[in-house]
């Protein structure tokens, strides 16, 4: 599981690494508007369309995405820097990515591997992994455990050293027999091996990687670098192995059908099953691609060279959730996103059910909705709250990169594109 550090530890050096400053030309996007840092606090950027018109649709498994950075197909960490930056300015990666990278649809009998991509597997949770194996087999897949997924094995707070985890992950990415990877748990390890991932293996043979918590960082970075669809979805502990068995039988059957379609069908899922907890925090409708994860990871990654270029948030539906920490931390992370310009670019927001956050008590102020609306200020975008994604579980899948339709007033959310291609 994931633990939370104070946002005061974030050195947000990439605050203005965006399309507002294009390094090669030294010009700002939108020359008729004042730079963001000269606007008054809380003032939004000029309004953006929530549903861009006239967009040409390609085949759903290779949807074109705009790339204003470079026409190169390989990462270039020296491609551009903040204007006026010196040798102490960290570079950002220009991926040259132009298309959403969808894995091939899984077929019955193909191999899914459960792997320790972050935290260790305590002996007490061994049964969660066994239950996950049963769920995946009922979906029709063969299942195997990766070697590092061994109950009781631990190095500090992780299943192994970052280099060992990366080596095992790269081996799975390169193995043509492996068709999907399910994370065993979240944790605090993915930041330690972001620079060790074989992104060329992902481009050559993209595979679904399922998980949330710390794994949401992996989704964001691989989406930024390669365009890979991020399968923000349940994992072994406690998802498939803990949350699913605790759900009513009808809900379990609904989830199994939903996940099987997510992994095997080249057809859009359509409307996700709404839960009784869903709330409209600001009405409205929007359509855009999903981007998100744990909010502290969304904020923290923007302080690294693996930051998502800000135009990846243009017209997006931002989804996020949080586990632990304090309400003040969540408020701070939201304002980090505001200062970064992210809240000015998105078309809508989807917020997961908060888990174990100090300062968010039923019937008291602030509520999570109040924190969100305070950070958004006058930005008139739809917000759907208390959605069952992330640590609240069981998870509804939120595939990073896929187009979705949000109607907060009606409390509906639909996936408009498939997560896999037919092969």
């Amino acid at each position: 599981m994931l633990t939370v550090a104070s946002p005061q530890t974030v050195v947000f050096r990439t605050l203005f690494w965006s399309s507002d400053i294009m390094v090669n030309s030294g010009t700002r996007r939108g020359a008729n508007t004042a730079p963001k840092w000269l606007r008054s606090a809380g003032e939004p950027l000029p309004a953006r369309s929530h549903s861009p018109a006239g967009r040409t649709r390609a085949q759903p498994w290779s949807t074109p995405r705009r790339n204003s950075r470079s026409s190169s197909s390989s990462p270039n960490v020296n491609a551009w820097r903040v204007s006026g930056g010196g040798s102490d300015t960290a570079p950002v990666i220009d991926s040259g990515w132009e298309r959403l990278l969808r894995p091939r649809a899984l077929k019955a009998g193909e191999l899914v591997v459960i792997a320790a991509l972050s935290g260790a597997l305590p002996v007490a949770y061994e049964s969660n992994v066994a239950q996950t194996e049963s769920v995946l087999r009922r979906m029709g897949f063969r299942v195997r455990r990766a070697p590092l997924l061994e109950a009781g094995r631990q190095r500090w707070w992780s299943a192994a050293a970052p280099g060992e985890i990366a080596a095992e992950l790269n081996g799975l990415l390169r193995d043509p027999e492996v068709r999907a990877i399910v994370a065993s748990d979240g944790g605090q390890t993915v930041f330690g091996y972001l620079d060790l991932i074989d992104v060329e293996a992902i481009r050559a043979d993209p595979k679904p990687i399922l998980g949330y918590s710390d794994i949401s960082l992996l989704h964001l970075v691989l989406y930024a670098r390669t365009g890979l669809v991020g399968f923000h979805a349940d994992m072994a502990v406690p998802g498939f192995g803990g949350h699913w068995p605790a759900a009513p039988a009808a809900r379990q059957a609904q989830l199994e059908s939903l996940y099987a379609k997510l992994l095997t069908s080249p057809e859009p899922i359509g409307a996700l099953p709404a839960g009784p907890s869903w709330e409209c925090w600001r009405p409205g409708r929007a359509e855009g691609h999903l981007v998100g994860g744990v909010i502290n990871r969304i904020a923290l990654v923007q302080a690294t060279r693996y930051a998502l270029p800000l135009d990846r948030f243009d017209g997006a539906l931002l989804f996020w959730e949080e586990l632990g920490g304090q309400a003040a931390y969540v408020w701070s992370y939201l304002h980090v996103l505001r200062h970064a310009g992210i809240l000015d670019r998105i078309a809508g927001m989807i917020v997961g059910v908060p888990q174990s956050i100090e300062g968010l008590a039923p019937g008291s102020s602030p509520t999570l909705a109040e924190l969100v609306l305070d950070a958004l200020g006058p930005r008139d975008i739809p917000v759907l709250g208390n959605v069952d994604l992330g640590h609240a579980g069981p998870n509804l899948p939120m595939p990073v990169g896929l187009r979705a339709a949000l109607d907060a007033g009606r409390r509906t959310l639909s996936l408009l594109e498939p997560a896999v291609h037919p092969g």
Side-chain angles (χ1 to χ4, degrees):
M1 302 299 289
L2 176 145
T3 56
V4 181
S6 166
Q8 282 76 12
T9 63
V10 179
V11 181
F12 207 77
R13 295 169 62 184
T14 58
L15 189 59
F16 304 118
W17 286 356
S18 69
S19 53
D20 293 311
I21 302 178
M22 300 303 295
V23 174
N24 292 333
S25 65
T27 60
R28 290 188 294 273
R29 172 187 289 176
N32 295 328
T33 61
K36 278 185 286 191
W37 55 88
L38 294 182
R39 294 191 178 93
S40 60
E43 180 183 352
L45 288 173
R48 298 175 184 271
S49 170
H50 291 180
S51 182
R55 175 172 164 181
T56 301
R57 294 296 307 280
Q59 291 298 319
W61 52 88
S62 60
T63 306
R65 308 292 191 197
R66 179 166 56 86
N67 180 359
S68 62
R69 302 288 186 231
S70 167
S71 60
S72 169
S73 61
S74 59
N76 180 2
V77 298
N78 296 312
W80 59 288
R81 292 178 181 271
V82 174
S83 178
S87 59
D88 62 340
T89 303
V92 298
I93 287 183
D94 180 4
S95 68
W97 165 75
E98 294 179 349
R99 291 186 181 273
L100 189 61
L101 190 61
R102 286 177 170 82
R104 175 179 63 74
L106 272 70
K107 299 174 183 176
E110 291 192 315
L111 179 64
V112 176
V113 174
I114 307 172
L117 302 182
S118 186
L121 174 62
V123 174
Y125 290 104
E126 160 65 29
S127 61
N128 279 213
V129 178
Q131 175 66 25
T132 301
E133 292 174 323
S134 297
V135 169
L136 294 171
R137 289 190 180 107
R138 284 200 302 270
M139 292 183 192
F141 308 125
R142 290 185 294 123
V143 186
R144 181 186 302 165
R145 299 189 192 191
L148 292 180
L149 184 56
E150 179 182 344
R153 178 190 178 104
Q154 186 168 348
R155 190 260 189 182
W156 297 353
W157 46 82
S158 304
E164 293 179 279
I165 294 176
E168 183 165 273
L169 173 59
N170 288 337
L172 297 174
L173 294 172
R174 296 165 187 155
D175 187 344
E177 184 185 12
V178 177
R179 299 318 313 157
I181 302 165
V182 175
S184 61
D185 202 348
Q188 292 285 346
T189 310
V190 173
F191 266 119
Y193 64 82
L194 290 178
D195 54 340
L196 303 177
I197 300 170
D198 186 352
V199 293
E200 292 306 322
I202 292 171
R203 292 190 179 103
D205 185 14
K207 302 171 183 180
I209 301 174
L210 278 69
Y212 60 94
S213 191
D214 197 30
I215 311 307
S216 68
L217 173 62
L218 200 58
H219 298 323
L220 290 170
V221 170
L222 297 182
Y223 171 66
R225 296 193 67 185
T226 69
L228 180 69
V229 172
F231 286 71
H232 188 280
D234 265 320
M235 48 194 176
V237 181
F240 293 119
H243 289 147
W244 283 40
R251 178 65 165 169
Q252 291 183 49
Q254 183 183 54
L255 288 167
E256 282 193 25
S257 175
L258 181 64
Y259 273 66
K261 186 172 182 180
L262 178 78
L263 294 170
T264 65
S265 175
E267 298 297 325
I269 284 177
L272 292 173
S277 65
W278 292 23
E279 297 177 348
C280 173
W281 291 352
R282 178 169 285 168
R285 293 179 296 174
E287 183 178 312
H289 58 287
L290 292 166
V291 178
V294 179
I295 193 170
N296 69 74
R297 294 302 194 260
I298 300 171
L300 287 166
V301 75
Q302 294 302 107
T304 76
R305 65 190 179 116
Y306 299 99
L308 276 74
L310 289 192
D311 60 7
R312 301 290 170 86
F313 293 97
D314 285 348
L317 300 180
L318 177 68
F319 71 88
W320 62 270
E321 52 107 10
E322 184 62 294
L323 167 72
Q326 300 177 15
Y329 294 177
V330 175
W331 182 84
S332 295
Y333 291 131
L334 285 166
H335 281 279
V336 167
L337 303 188
R338 177 175 70 83
H339 289 305
I342 291 172
L343 299 187
D344 294 313
R345 293 170 174 267
I346 61 175
M349 184 181 289
I350 303 153
V351 184
V353 178
Q355 290 290 293
S356 306
I357 297 177
E358 184 181 342
L360 291 181
S364 65
S365 184
T367 65
L368 187 56
E370 288 175 328
L371 298 182
V372 169
L373 297 179
D374 176 80
L376 283 176
R379 297 163 181 83
D380 187 18
I381 62 172
V383 183
L384 183 64
N386 284 337
V387 177
D388 34 354
L389 64 96
H391 291 86
N395 261 266
L396 292 176
M398 294 285 158
V400 174
L402 291 197
R403 283 194 319 118
L406 167 65
D407 188 331
R410 294 179 178 272
R411 292 178 294 174
T412 63
L413 180 63
S414 301
L415 301 182
L416 303 179
E417 298 178 313
V420 293
H421 73 82

